[in-house]
Amino acid sequence: MKKRKPTIKDIARRLDISVSTVSRAIRGAEDVNPITKKNVLDLAEKIGYKKSVLAAGLASKKSYLIGVIIPELTVPFFGRVILGIEQFLKPLGYDLIIVHSDEQEQKEKECIDILLDRQVDGILISLSFNTKSDLHLKKAMEEEVPIVVFDRILPKSELPIPRVIVDDFEAGYQATNHLINKGYKRIAFIAGPEDLYISQQRLKGYRTAMERNGFGTSADLIVPTLDLRRSVGQALDKLMVLKEKPDAIVALNDPIAFRVIRLLQKRGIEIPQKIAVMGISGDDMGELFNPSLTTINQPAQEMGFVAANLLIDRMNAMKDAKKQGKIFIPMAILKKLPISLIEREST
Amino acid sequence: MKKRKPTIKDIARRLDISVSTVSRAIRGAEDVNPITKKNVLDLAEKIGYKKSVLAAGLASKKSYLIGVIIPELTVPFFGRVILGIEQFLKPLGYDLIIVHSDEQEQKEKECIDILLDRQVDGILISLSFNTKSDLHLKKAMEEEVPIVVFDRILPKSELPIPRVIVDDFEAGYQATNHLINKGYKRIAFIAGPEDLYISQQRLKGYRTAMERNGFGTSADLIVPTLDLRRSVGQALDKLMVLKEKPDAIVALNDPIAFRVIRLLQKRGIEIPQKIAVMGISGDDMGELFNPSLTTINQPAQEMGFVAANLLIDRMNAMKDAKKQGKIFIPMAILKKLPISLIEREST
DNA sequence: AAAATTACCGAGAACGTTTCCGGTAACGCT
DNA sequence: AGCGTTACCGGAAACGTTCTCGGTAATTTT
């Protein structure tokens, strides 16, 4: 009935050795006789020993927890990123605690606090659509928990932290170029909030492609959305009242593109005959639409993998520095992942 | 530079009181002078004290972590459920650790182990598509961590644990009924794995609706899918080779329905003129399809809320029992949530 | 006025690890 | 033979809380 959980003390007693030795054996640390080690491990297995993460964390000041902050739970892209993160971190013994900011800067700050309270060993974060400041990231840095930002980063953050993104310029460029190659001439771009780095870059890519091909970039053709849901309609409205309507639309991301497709169809506009639509994300969902969505694939899973990798690197660097008594000097790293075109029916 | 984090000891020293009193004050426990309490809280705030969850957990044998196991990260339905869970649990000071089983029974077991290792205070789980046994749930019960199952439950589990689902029979019944009212006569049903409770119940609802209206339920019209991706095509193939093709299809859930729509369109079949399609889930995504998907809405967020509520109830019940020295006798609870029809264009 | 109750507080032992600091024995080297 | 290494291992102090048990003074009850 009273099944007290076995501890390393129990093991130590039964094997008549010290707890330190048991601890070393279990941790797979150096300086322990292979035979003793085997004995310990066998007994541990036999009596169903489970190490207390709490106690271990308390003693070692590590929690083996990594916090992940994403803007929304239901965006497929982030689901794929998390897969990549797990893939890298699980084998190392880390678990994930996932929180979401609901695309609000305020909640994002709270998320950081929660994670800091939990004493996570590191944080992976993708900024919300409307985040404008990076003070909360700074806070994490001050508490010496390493942090890396992925996908949604801040344009001109001076913070010396690793960031991993896809080559957003290329994404915008290739998307636009693809449409140009297909013969479209008046290509519009639906952007995101001004401060959003991915939006800026993709837009830049769009502009460059247009100009290189001798199409100007009339301001009419560039319209913003402030969120993923409601404002897509307004953005599209702006395009549809133009005297010269666009014959193709590049959307900032797939979710927006889905809505564009839907709204165009409601207006009875044929895709891609009248207007072509391009997304940027590579969501699987795009395949199921009619017409299916041509898009720029972002290597989401790889992004998670790389981000996790950078985080661990940073953690190790900090540990090493501390070990040598030096102070750690954080540096900015910006890693760009290559993108690729997925051509489907909407263009 | 060496900014050691403040602890309750620091507070105790500076206020010249004992750590126990500080602990009580911070915990908001009984038996502490309001003035002392205020002093403690003020100072804590001032010096930026953060309680160590690790230490607190170790001492109190609570982690204030709740584990959530879902089959897939990218399914919108589960995202919404998690929202509901958070809504209930956050105010109580609990954080969530979310893991996913990737629809595999084996991984599901591993998830349980991970959570148990983390000493979560409770587990909320939705079973994978292919889970057939509940031994791993038993394991959790043995370790005395309360567990509640939501949405995807086991048909005839004898385990005395709370479960919350939607009224799946009603869902199947209403979906079918809706089609019948619309004048469809040969209605097919795309089911899930045999052991899946939600599949059984929805199918039963379908059958009942058919029979009550004088349509038989020819076995031809009921086809299974074993997963959400590949096998939808095979299921549909089986329907399309029938001499008498169906004029409407009820899919087990929205993701399957999305695929059905797409596959039918590829065959050039008009929806809903030739064949109508119904989903069950209430995913927002359905709105964006063309035609948009008629579906049965499951109150996902409410489900999360209710499940979390049941979990806390159970936790309290266990604590009370222990306090009184009695042994806790777990009981099964089955809570059914009402569903509703969302009529759109696909029917 | 004595007894009982209440309100508040302190001491100190957990909780289950890790880690630092030594210590011993065996071995190899000059 | 003496000395430095190396390979293992143990003792004991952290880590930052909670919790049980008493204890004192003030307050109420009898």
Side-chain angles (χ1 to χ4, degrees):
Chain A
M1 192 98 297
K2 276 252 154 298
K3 249 199 304 190
R4 214 179 48 77
K5 284 224 200 92
T7 75
I8 53 173
K9 282 184 193 164
D10 299 322
I11 299 184
R13 202 176 317 116
R14 287 180 56 164
L15 254 35
D16 199 28
I17 54 179
S18 76
V19 288
S20 359
T21 304
V22 178
S23 170
R24 274 189 292 257
I26 289 201
R27 212 147 19 98
E30 73 305 341
D31 261 23
V32 44
N33 191 320
I35 299 172
T36 325
K37 184 166 170 179
K38 186 171 184 325
N39 287 340
V40 169
L41 261 22
D42 285 353
L43 182 59
E45 168 77 12
K46 191 176 141 216
I47 65 178
Y49 166 77
K50 285 277 177 67
K51 131 146 72 174
S52 157
V53 210
L54 256 37
L58 180 58
S60 66
K61 293 168 167 306
K62 287 199 60 171
S63 65
Y64 277 98
L65 261 185
I66 299 289
V68 181
I69 305 178
I70 56 176
E72 271 184 281
L73 276 175
T74 53
V75 177
F77 173 76
F78 292 117
R80 283 155 60 212
V81 175
I82 291 175
L83 250 40
I85 296 176
E86 269 191 355
Q87 192 186 337
F88 188 90
L89 253 26
K90 262 237 180 90
L92 269 51
Y94 290 96
D95 288 329
L96 263 38
I97 167 163
I98 302 167
V99 290
H100 66 110
S101 62
D102 213 10
E103 300 281 14
Q104 294 168 245
E105 182 164 8
Q106 181 50 37
K107 275 205 180 179
E108 202 170 282
K109 284 181 190 159
E110 293 169 20
C111 287
I112 297 260
D113 283 337
I114 290 176
L115 295 180
L116 258 24
D117 281 1
R118 283 276 166 206
Q119 290 166 272
V120 293
D121 294 342
I123 295 179
L124 292 162
I125 182 173
S126 190
L127 267 22
S128 97
F129 233 58
N130 301 305
T131 298
K132 291 188 172 39
S133 121
D134 54 10
L135 261 59
H136 46 319
L137 305 189
K138 212 162 190 170
K139 192 168 169 188
M141 289 189 63
E142 277 164 11
E143 302 222 8
E144 295 189 36
V145 0
I147 187 166
V148 357
V149 188
F150 62 91
D151 193 51
R152 305 253 204 93
I153 69 176
L154 233 40
K156 44 186 173 193
S157 167
E158 301 299 327
L159 253 38
I161 54 183
R163 294 171 295 173
V164 31
I165 52 176
V166 298
D167 194 332
D168 288 296
F169 175 86
E170 262 302 296
Y173 185 84
Q174 281 196 26
T176 314
N177 226 14
H178 168 70
L179 289 170
I180 293 175
N181 289 339
K182 282 275 175 180
Y184 297 97
K185 301 200 185 313
R186 274 186 71 74
I187 304 171
F189 188 90
I190 300 188
E194 265 186 45
D195 293 303
L196 199 64
Y197 180 80
I198 60 168
S199 179
Q200 295 176 350
Q201 291 303 109
R202 291 175 190 181
L203 183 55
K204 206 189 270 181
Y206 158 82
R207 281 210 169 98
T208 307
M210 291 295 273
E211 278 156 16
R212 280 203 196 150
N213 286 275
F215 304 104
T217 55
S218 128
D220 296 346
L221 291 176
I222 300 170
V223 294
T225 55
L226 299 177
D227 66 77
L228 295 171
R229 315 209 185 295
R230 288 164 298 279
S231 59
V232 177
Q234 300 165 19
L236 198 59
D237 287 343
K238 281 191 201 147
L239 291 176
M240 301 316 281
V241 296
L242 294 179
K243 265 178 299 201
E244 280 191 273
K245 297 199 178 63
D247 58 4
I249 297 175
V250 180
L252 177 66
N253 60 26
D254 281 7
I256 292 177
F258 296 153
R259 286 180 167 72
V260 170
I261 289 185
R262 177 57 176 161
L263 292 168
L264 287 179
Q265 283 174 337
K266 273 198 179 152
R267 289 167 181 263
I269 296 171
E270 284 167 72
I271 306 170
Q273 291 79 6
K274 280 295 202 184
I275 297 185
V277 179
M278 275 232 42
I280 299 179
S281 290
D283 286 357
D284 288 338
M285 209 68 201
E287 217 170 337
L288 299 180
F289 272 74
N290 183 32
S292 56
L293 180 69
T294 297
T295 185
I296 299 288
N297 187 50
Q298 297 179 293
Q301 191 159 346
E302 192 190 342
M303 176 177 280
F305 195 88
V306 171
N309 199 338
L310 283 173
L311 186 69
I312 297 293
D313 285 351
R314 174 66 51 122
M315 284 166 53
N316 288 337
M318 286 174 66
K319 205 171 56 187
D320 288 352
K322 187 165 278 180
K323 207 176 266 173
Q324 298 175 24
K326 300 177 193 164
I327 65 161
F328 175 71
I329 299 163
M331 296 217 301
I333 297 175
L334 185 61
K335 203 148 206 164
K336 278 187 194 171
L337 267 27
I339 47 87
S340 62
L341 178 71
I342 300 179
E343 186 171 356
R344 291 196 282 237
E345 300 163 357
S346 70
T347 57
Chain B
M1 193 100 294
K2 275 255 154 298
K3 250 197 308 190
R4 213 178 48 76
K5 285 224 199 96
T7 75
I8 52 172
K9 282 183 192 164
D10 299 321
I11 300 184
R13 203 174 318 118
R14 288 180 56 163
L15 255 36
D16 198 29
I17 53 178
S18 75
V19 290
S20 354
T21 305
V22 178
S23 171
R24 274 189 292 255
I26 292 210
R27 227 158 352 113
E30 72 303 344
D31 259 22
V32 44
N33 191 321
I35 299 172
T36 325
K37 184 165 171 179
K38 185 168 184 327
N39 287 339
V40 170
L41 262 22
D42 285 352
L43 183 58
E45 168 76 13
K46 191 178 141 215
I47 65 177
Y49 166 79
K50 287 275 177 70
K51 130 146 75 175
S52 158
V53 207
L54 256 38
L58 179 59
S60 66
K61 293 168 168 308
K62 285 199 63 172
S63 65
Y64 277 98
L65 262 186
I66 299 289
V68 181
I69 305 177
I70 56 176
E72 270 182 279
L73 276 176
T74 53
V75 177
F77 173 76
F78 292 118
R80 284 154 59 211
V81 175
I82 290 175
L83 249 39
I85 296 176
E86 269 189 356
Q87 192 187 338
F88 189 89
L89 253 26
K90 264 246 179 79
L92 271 51
Y94 289 96
D95 289 328
L96 262 38
I97 168 164
I98 302 166
V99 289
H100 65 110
S101 62
D102 213 11
E103 299 283 15
Q104 293 166 247
E105 181 162 10
Q106 181 52 34
K107 275 206 181 180
E108 200 169 286
K109 284 181 191 159
E110 292 170 18
C111 287
I112 297 260
D113 283 337
I114 289 176
L115 295 180
L116 258 24
D117 281 1
R118 282 273 166 208
Q119 291 166 271
V120 293
D121 293 343
I123 294 178
L124 292 161
I125 182 174
S126 189
L127 268 22
S128 98
F129 233 60
N130 300 305
T131 298
K132 292 188 170 42
S133 123
D134 54 10
L135 260 58
H136 46 318
L137 305 189
K138 213 162 189 169
K139 192 167 167 189
M141 291 190 61
E142 277 165 9
E143 302 222 8
E144 296 190 35
V145 359
I147 188 165
V148 357
V149 189
F150 63 90
D151 194 53
R152 306 255 204 90
I153 68 175
L154 233 39
K156 44 185 173 197
S157 166
E158 302 298 328
L159 251 39
I161 54 185
R163 293 171 295 174
V164 31
I165 52 176
V166 297
D167 195 331
D168 288 296
F169 175 87
E170 263 301 297
Y173 185 86
Q174 281 196 26
T176 314
N177 226 16
H178 167 71
L179 289 169
I180 293 173
N181 289 338
K182 283 276 173 178
Y184 297 98
K185 302 200 183 315
R186 273 187 70 75
I187 303 170
F189 188 90
I190 300 187
E194 265 187 45
D195 293 303
L196 197 66
Y197 180 81
I198 60 169
S199 179
Q200 295 176 351
Q201 291 303 110
R202 291 174 189 183
L203 183 55
K204 206 190 266 181
Y206 158 83
R207 281 211 169 97
T208 308
M210 291 296 272
E211 277 156 16
R212 281 204 195 145
N213 285 276
F215 305 104
T217 56
S218 130
D220 297 344
L221 289 176
I222 299 169
V223 293
T225 56
L226 300 177
D227 65 79
L228 294 171
R229 315 209 184 294
R230 288 163 298 278
S231 59
V232 176
Q234 300 166 19
L236 197 59
D237 286 344
K238 280 192 199 142
L239 291 176
M240 301 317 281
V241 297
L242 295 178
K243 263 176 303 203
E244 279 192 274
K245 296 198 179 61
D247 59 4
I249 297 175
V250 179
L252 177 65
N253 60 27
D254 280 7
I256 292 176
F258 295 153
R259 286 180 167 71
V260 169
I261 288 184
R262 176 61 177 159
L263 292 167
L264 287 178
Q265 284 174 336
K266 273 198 179 152
R267 288 167 183 263
I269 295 170
E270 284 166 75
I271 307 169
Q273 291 78 8
K274 281 296 201 182
I275 297 184
V277 180
M278 275 235 37
I280 299 178
S281 290
D283 286 355
D284 288 337
M285 208 69 202
E287 216 171 334
L288 298 179
F289 271 74
N290 183 30
S292 56
L293 180 69
T294 297
T295 184
I296 299 289
N297 186 50
Q298 298 177 293
Q301 192 160 346
E302 191 189 342
M303 177 176 279
F305 194 88
V306 171
N309 199 338
L310 283 172
L311 186 69
I312 297 293
D313 285 351
R314 173 68 48 119
M315 283 165 53
N316 288 336
M318 285 173 67
K319 204 171 57 187
D320 288 351
K322 187 165 277 181
K323 207 175 267 175
Q324 299 176 21
K326 298 177 193 164
I327 65 162
F328 175 71
I329 299 163
M331 295 218 302
I333 298 175
L334 185 62
K335 202 147 206 164
K336 276 187 196 172
L337 267 26
I339 46 87
S340 62
L341 177 71
I342 299 179
E343 184 169 357
R344 290 197 283 237
E345 302 164 357
S346 69
T347 55

